[in-house]
């Protein structure tokens, strides 16, 4: 279900909006928020990422020599996920996306809805994230 009204969205965003995502703001178009669900030193560190309408992150790659990648569990609102060279996938609560290591992709909210997903990097060897260029307004506007 789409939510343009932040107060209505907050009622269904069960993991909470969290704090402004200032540490990674340079890699986003629009405002995003993070709510860590575990302590950073935990073996896995899921966070609830919330995107205002039309917010999306840049293209990026989760590199790993083995294992690695990213897991997204959609929890509220509606969004998009796209791998380079493929059609965008519509995201709604309950949708799970497993992103293999070394795959260029982006994710974010639909233009007319707030959106949240739990994001977690999959453990692996020699993991790192490479941030690439933004998803252009033209690319995004076609969705």
């Amino acid at each position: 279900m789409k939510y343009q009204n932040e107060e209505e969205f907050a009622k269904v965003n069960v993991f909470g909006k969290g704090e402004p995502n200032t540490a990674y703001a340079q890699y986003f178009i629009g405002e995003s928020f993070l709510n860590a669900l575990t302590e950073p030193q935990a073996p896995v560190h899921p966070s609830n990422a919330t995107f205002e309408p039309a917010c999306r992150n840049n293209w990026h790659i989760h590199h790993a020599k083995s294992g690695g990648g990213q897991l997204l569990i959609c929890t509220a609102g509606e969004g998009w996920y796209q791998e380079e060279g493929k059609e965008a996938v519509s995201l709604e609560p309950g949708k799970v996306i497993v992103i293999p290591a070394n795959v260029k992709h982006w994710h974010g909210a639909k233009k007319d809805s707030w959106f949240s997903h739990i994001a977690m990097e999959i453990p692996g060897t020699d993991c790192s994230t490479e941030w690439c260029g933004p998803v252009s307004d033209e690319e995004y506007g076609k969705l």
Side-chain angles (χ1 to χ4, degrees):
M1 179 173 210
K2 292 181 180 176
Y3 293 91
Q4 290 186 316
N5 179 284
E6 185 178 357
E7 289 76 26
E8 291 299 313
F9 176 75
K11 293 176 186 175
V12 299
N13 190 12
V14 296
F15 292 100
K17 180 175 155 184
E19 300 299 320
N21 184 11
T22 55
Y24 295 92
Q26 65 185 345
Y27 305 116
F28 284 73
I29 294 174
E31 294 293 319
S32 66
F33 305 84
L34 287 177
N35 188 22
L37 302 179
T38 64
E39 295 297 322
Q41 65 273 16
V44 292
H45 183 59
S47 292
N48 191 50
T50 298
F51 303 76
E52 71 177 354
C55 176
R56 67 254 188 206
N57 54 32
N58 286 8
W59 289 97
H60 60 286
I61 305 165
H62 299 281
H63 292 288
K65 285 190 178 176
S66 65
Q70 188 177 37
L71 174 71
L72 306 178
I73 302 170
C74 305
T75 59
E78 293 189 21
W80 292 110
Y81 166 76
Q82 187 174 21
E83 291 181 7
E84 185 175 46
K86 295 184 179 181
E87 294 294 317
V89 175
S90 181
L91 302 177
E92 297 178 354
K95 181 82 172 173
V96 176
I97 301 289
V98 178
I99 307 162
N102 307 309
V103 171
K104 189 174 183 180
H105 67 282
W106 69 271
H107 34 102
K110 290 189 175 175
K111 62 183 174 185
D112 54 356
S113 184
W114 283 83
F115 175 64
S116 282
H117 62 51
I118 294 172
M120 182 177 70
E121 290 200 28
I122 299 169
T125 304
D126 293 332
C127 294
S128 64
T129 301
E130 175 187 357
W131 288 98
C132 307
V135 177
S136 73
D137 290 340
E138 182 179 344
E139 288 175 285
Y140 184 79
K142 291 178 183 176
L143 300 176

